[in-house]
Amino acid sequence: MAYIQVEGGNPLKGSLVVQGAKNAVLPILSAALLHKGTTELSEVPDISDVRDTLELLKLLGCRVEKQGHRVVIRAEGHLSGSLPQRMVGRMRSSFLLAGAMLGREGRLETFYPGGCTIGARPIDLHLAGLRSMGAEYVIDRDRISLWAKRLQGTDLKLSYPSVGATENLLLAAALAEGVTTLKGAAREPEIQALITCLNGMGADIREDKGTLIITGVSRLQDSAYEIPGDRIVAGTILAAVGSCGGEVRLEHIEPEGLRGVLEALRQAGMELWTDEVKHTIRARAASPLPRGMKLVTGPFPEFPTDLQAIFMAMLSVAGEESKIQETVFESRFRHVKQLRRLGAEIEVVGDTARIAGGSTLQGGLVEAQDLRAGAALAVAGLAAEGITLISHAEYIARGYEDLPGVLQRLGAHVALL
Ligand code: EPZ
């Protein structure tokens, strides 16, 4: 088990090139399965979810080359269709391979996807959409077998703008026979990245008044694509500045994807300068932020649920009271108990947490229970007096490329033990 040790009280200073977006690259790795040729990706983050997904692609029969942040996937031959439970069970995004494999080979043997313990995370919307396109499936305990002679384009409507279901149905529709329309789709920037990448591969995906229109094509082509910056990692560093103060410049990040987040930070007292052309954000804050926030998480462009725990950590020391309502996942407050162990005064009633302002956090031993909760504890440790030791830090490595090293290079006293 890995530990991260954080010594609080040092302001951050310096600049950082933000890693490629985890939640963009994972569906794009599935998209590479659709093409019987070569897909070249740059700015791929070196995180365990990516390494695990590349292993799954190899198990399916792809050839994968990885040098630093560059990945080349060759998927010429016949791809076999079964994935191992030990890998699928711990990574929710593995189910994104279903849409691509049904489009490419017409079958996939997999297991019910696992993931972080933030909620039931059903896949009913994925399965309903795939079935409407002509796919059939059987679920036997945890095993899911899916097959389709040839996916057919059809009119689809999502009852909730599920990110994963939108991505799976886009992947399934790219090579389907005919036109698929998708209403009620998620609009996260990572979805736009997937669409841009797929169209660069020769797919035909357009948007008309919020409806996605996918015209199936018979084949795709070799392509190259640069993964955009990870807005949740950028938001994490901004929360770190809001927790222990300082001045940081972020590069390789599109401010547009963080519009609501930046506005909330400004209102709480952080100074921010953005450049949409150079893809940079500069932030400066005294510690702690003078004012609190009232946040409600929701589908883009609402406040991102993935920053909820992280901002709660920062707001634990802000000058005024804050409130955070979590509307996306039904149990995404597991970090509250851990933050309380550091002295945060947080009260949860239903789906809303009230964070008292003006707390002083004391370092202590805490446990990361999922990816973003772990990052939140690191942010809290930066604000706390003394040493904070975070266990199960391997959760953090699922989505952050060397968070301890990144914070250290910005002047924080952080070590991976
Ligand atoms: C993606 O998960 C992200 N993961 C999550 O990031 C992110 O929190 C989430 O989108 C919301 O933005 C990846 O992209 C790999 P959803 P996903 O389908 O696709 C319900 C992180 O920390 N739902 O939009 O699983 C579901 O239960 C991770 O990087 C159904 O009911 O999210 C949830 O309440 C955590 N039926 C809500 O929709 C379905 O078939 C949002 O889920 C699918 C989803």
Side-chain angles (χ1 to χ4, degrees):
M1 173 167 58
Y3 286 82
I4 288 179
Q5 179 179 289
V6 183
E7 182 187 348
N10 300 285
L12 302 184
K13 194 151 186 56
S15 66
L16 158 78
V17 176
V18 177
Q19 72 179 57
K22 167 178 93 78
N23 293 347
V25 70
L26 292 176
I28 285 170
L29 290 175
S30 295
L33 284 176
L34 290 167
H35 172 45
K36 296 185 176 177
T38 300
T39 302
E40 190 175 329
L41 302 173
S42 55
E43 294 301 332
V44 174
D46 189 13
I47 55 178
S48 59
D49 273 13
V50 164
R51 291 193 293 273
D52 286 348
T53 304
L54 292 176
E55 282 311 305
L56 293 177
L57 294 188
K58 282 188 224 169
L59 286 171
L60 289 171
C62 298
R63 283 183 295 140
V64 172
E65 262 173 66
K66 180 173 182 296
Q67 282 127 8
H69 294 144
R70 182 174 166 274
V71 168
V72 179
I73 296 154
R74 291 183 174 79
E76 285 91 350
H78 171 71
L79 301 180
S80 75
S82 62
L83 298 176
Q85 182 162 23
R86 63 181 169 77
M87 292 185 74
V88 167
R90 66 168 181 252
M91 197 168 55
R92 165 118 180 142
S93 57
S94 60
F95 196 65
L96 293 176
L97 295 168
M101 280 299 287
L102 284 170
R104 155 86 185 237
E105 297 290 348
R107 83 170 296 109
L108 178 69
E109 296 288 332
T110 185
F111 291 89
Y112 208 88
C116 290
T117 54
I118 56 179
R121 306 193 79 181
I123 52 171
D124 55 316
L125 299 177
H126 298 240
L127 294 172
L130 292 171
R131 186 196 287 253
S132 303
M133 296 179 72
E136 295 177 80
Y137 59 86
V138 167
I139 299 178
D140 169 16
R141 288 195 293 278
D142 274 351
R143 177 183 289 277
I144 307 181
S145 306
L146 305 107
W147 67 93
K149 269 198 283 301
R150 175 91 196 274
L151 292 172
Q152 301 299 317
T154 185
D155 295 332
L156 302 170
K157 183 171 176 14
L158 285 176
S159 54
Y160 181 89
S162 154
V163 170
T166 301
E167 289 163 347
N168 234 337
L169 297 172
L170 279 169
L171 291 164
L175 298 179
E177 187 143 25
V179 178
T180 301
T181 62
L182 180 57
K183 290 186 187 311
R187 297 164 48 210
E188 271 68 3
E190 294 76 26
I191 303 279
Q192 189 48 54
L194 173 62
I195 291 170
T196 305
C197 180
L198 279 167
N199 283 341
M201 293 170 70
D204 178 352
I205 304 173
R206 292 178 297 113
E207 178 181 340
D208 179 28
K209 300 187 194 68
T211 297
L212 296 179
I213 302 162
I214 307 103
T215 304
V217 295
S218 52
R219 57 189 300 281
L220 297 170
Q221 65 204 22
D222 288 3
S223 69
Y225 182 72
E226 177 186 306
I227 304 295
D230 190 314
R231 60 195 175 100
I232 305 303
V233 170
T236 302
I237 302 301
L238 293 175
V241 174
S243 289
C244 58
E247 180 166 352
V248 170
R249 174 187 159 87
L250 302 178
E251 298 168 18
H252 185 231
I253 185 65
E254 296 174 32
E256 183 54 27
L258 282 168
R259 199 165 8 126
V261 172
L262 299 178
E263 193 39 45
L265 285 166
R266 280 196 181 94
Q267 286 175 16
M270 185 176 283
E271 295 176 272
L272 286 155
W273 299 267
T274 63
D275 187 321
E276 293 291 349
V277 174
K278 292 185 185 148
H279 291 176
T280 60
I281 296 175
R282 189 157 67 87
R284 180 165 64 196
S287 164
L289 289 175
R291 289 180 292 282
M293 295 178 176
K294 290 206 176 352
L295 302 176
V296 181
T297 69
F300 190 84
E302 304 299 323
F303 190 87
T305 174
D306 291 345
L307 284 175
Q308 182 254 105
I310 292 153
F311 269 53
M312 187 183 289
M314 173 188 73
L315 293 168
S316 301
V317 297
E320 292 173 350
E321 177 179 291
S322 294
K323 271 194 178 172
I324 301 180
Q325 184 184 1
E326 171 58 61
T327 73
V328 177
F329 290 104
E330 68 272 25
S331 58
R332 199 169 198 176
F333 281 147
R334 288 169 58 124
H335 46 280
V336 169
K337 184 175 162 209
Q338 302 300 318
L339 289 173
R340 283 183 182 139
R341 287 168 67 169
L342 300 178
E345 292 175 57
I346 304 168
E347 185 197 7
V348 174
V349 177
D351 66 358
T352 301
R354 188 180 63 78
I355 304 105
S359 306
T360 302
L361 302 185
Q362 300 298 328
L365 176 60
V366 286
E367 181 187 338
Q369 292 175 324
D370 67 60
L371 162 60
R372 306 301 177 187
L377 295 172
V379 166
L382 293 172
E385 288 176 356
I387 301 283
T388 297
L389 203 53
I390 305 166
S391 66
H392 292 287
E394 59 278 7
Y395 272 118
I396 300 173
R398 289 190 56 170
Y400 293 83
E401 185 178 310
D402 188 19
L403 185 61
V406 163
L407 292 172
Q408 233 165 339
R409 287 190 291 277
L410 291 174
H413 293 178
V414 183
L416 183 62
L417 305 178

